[in-house]
Amino acid sequence: MTDLPILRLKPKMDPRRIRFGYPWVYDNELVMDRRSKAIAPGSLALLEDAGREPLGLVAVNTASRIVGRVLDSADVTELTPEWFTARIARALSLRETLYDQPFYRLVHAEADGFPGVIIDRFGDTAVIQPNAAWAEVHLETLTDALVQVTGVTNVLKSAGGRARGLEGLDDQDKVLRGSAPEAAVPVPMNGATYMADLTGGQKTGLFYDQRPNHAFASGLARGAKVLDVFSHVGGFGLAALAAGAESALCVDGSQPALDLAIQGAAQSGLGDRLTTRKGDAFDTLAALAEEGAQFDVVICDPPAFAPSKPALEKGLRAYERVARMATELVKPGGYLGLCSCSHAADLEKFRQVSIRGIGKGLYQTGRSAKLIHTGFAGADHPIHPQLAESGYLKALFFQL
């Protein structure tokens, strides 16, 4: 018996998907009566099938399309401090196995047992994105557990992003423990030093997910001229320089991000080989082509052009355009890397539009393309086996 409120699946809904591990329950799958609708956002509830058999402990937000997020089995009826510490300890164990320095994604939402929660670690500072109502309700306990298990002294809340808006949550950043860094934090990765702005930068301050793709691209870059478009703080460019590239040009629309790339190059002892160019990526690609610029390695890592299904077709056209324009800047025999972090654009769709764009870019040149590598997010961004959306990052590398 439990005092928790009950959420019940509609009679037509097959409960096996939940029993086999799917972590979300949508509003149209549930009997949403007056009592269900009255459950406060972030509250816990017992999920039952239509026959009143318990399926699991869920976090509820009736203001969201995802009304129920599965947290644990049905015999768990509360989230104790020990519940949080055990899950963080498990997540930490994986990262300490993977990396010899404390710079990584520590918690990757559903795959680490924390639906809607992202935690990135930067040495003694951690940045939490509590992108689900239940995490906001339990943020104090989560923070205590994080400090206890990892020993970090500073914990920041990052409240930006589309996901919190969908959950009806605020967009107010906050210092939860310790203090916010007064300057960008140096992060060692792939032989370079990146500068992460944990308070004013994008997302949590740095994109750890591209680490293995930076490494692959840098293996192509020894002695090469490299173009890094949508570079943010120098992701691919700095890794390439650290691996022996002759030069790297970083292009981004944000001057603060490019300034951090310059700082990172200086910290890495690579400053004399890095140049930057601020501007719209499409305009800059067109200008470089007009100038007759050619590069041995060109990487394009844009923001999510297709963040949702309604934006998919427009986003795919944008990815195709990037591929076509970037292709024209690659020397014969050179390499092109194309990336997508769009949840809505799966690997096959992204690959199709990338190949089509490359084909248009190579038209009438007599050149051909071959796909040499497909990359994904690093192992600190595990994929939930039942949730394809958690495998959002794709990277395709071609020789032209």
Side-chain angles (χ1 to χ4, degrees), residues 35-318:
R35 286 180 295 180
S36 300
K37 292 177 181 177
I39 299 173
S43 298
L44 304 179
L46 179 65
L47 178 67
E48 295 181 344
D49 65 16
R52 300 180 185 267
E53 288 295 318
L55 295 173
L57 177 72
V58 295
V60 180
N61 187 355
T62 57
S64 170
R65 172 111 204 283
I66 305 172
V67 172
R69 296 175 185 266
V70 179
L71 295 173
D72 214 320
S73 61
D75 57 347
V76 176
T77 58
E78 62 177 327
L79 301 184
T80 64
E82 292 74 23
W83 186 92
F84 284 92
T85 56
R87 294 204 171 192
I88 292 175
R90 189 166 64 210
L92 178 64
S93 176
L94 171 63
R95 277 67 181 186
E96 289 184 335
T97 299
L98 296 170
Y99 305 109
D100 59 4
Q101 296 186 74
F103 298 93
Y104 39 68
R105 173 149 295 181
L106 174 62
V107 168
H108 191 54
E110 281 77 2
D112 282 305
F114 287 98
V117 179
I118 298 297
I119 304 177
D120 283 349
R121 184 175 184 180
F122 302 88
D124 61 1
T125 299
V127 181
I128 303 177
Q129 284 185 306
N131 293 331
W134 79 274
E136 194 76 22
V137 169
H138 293 88
L139 190 55
E140 191 71 19
T141 308
L142 171 61
T143 303
D144 287 342
L146 176 63
V147 171
Q148 178 185 334
V149 172
T150 67
V152 296
T153 53
N154 308 306
V155 181
L156 312 180
K157 171 188 169 183
S158 174
R162 177 173 170 269
R164 284 181 62 84
L166 295 175
E167 285 278 303
L169 301 173
D170 67 60
D171 61 355
Q172 301 300 307
D173 295 343
K174 188 178 180 181
V175 177
L176 301 173
R177 293 288 187 279
S179 59
E182 295 181 359
V185 174
V187 176
M189 198 160 54
N190 287 320
T193 298
Y194 295 83
M195 304 305 295
D197 181 355
L198 305 190
T199 56
Q202 297 181 38
K203 302 292 186 180
T204 62
L206 194 70
F207 298 110
Y208 283 129
D209 52 1
Q210 285 283 23
R211 184 178 345 216
N213 299 318
H214 291 165
F216 181 81
S218 68
L220 307 173
R222 182 173 298 277
K225 290 178 62 178
V226 176
L227 173 63
D228 181 4
V229 187
F230 306 98
S231 67
H232 191 226
V233 299
F236 283 94
L238 293 182
L241 290 176
E246 176 188 311
S247 65
L249 170 59
C250 287
V251 175
D252 202 87
S254 167
Q255 189 60 52
L258 291 175
D259 290 342
L260 290 172
I262 293 169
Q263 290 181 37
Q267 288 264 2
S268 307
L270 306 168
D272 59 333
R273 290 186 277 145
L274 177 79
T275 55
T276 63
R277 191 157 168 170
K278 178 183 180 297
D280 174 82
F282 293 102
D283 291 345
T284 305
L285 286 169
L288 287 168
E290 187 70 23
E291 295 162 16
Q294 292 276 279
F295 299 87
D296 302 290
V297 179
V298 176
I299 308 290
C300 296
D301 181 19
F305 286 149
S308 61
K309 288 183 179 178
L312 178 59
E313 289 308 314
K314 183 179 179 181
L316 292 175
R317 288 194 298 271

Side-chain angles (χ1 to χ4, degrees), residues 1 14 44 52 56 113 163 221 225 245 281 301 326 329 359 363 387 396:
M1 298 293 292
D14 188 341
L44 304 179
R52 300 180 185 267
K225 290 178 62 178
D301 181 19
L329 299 174
Y363 182 61
L387 199 62
L396 305 174

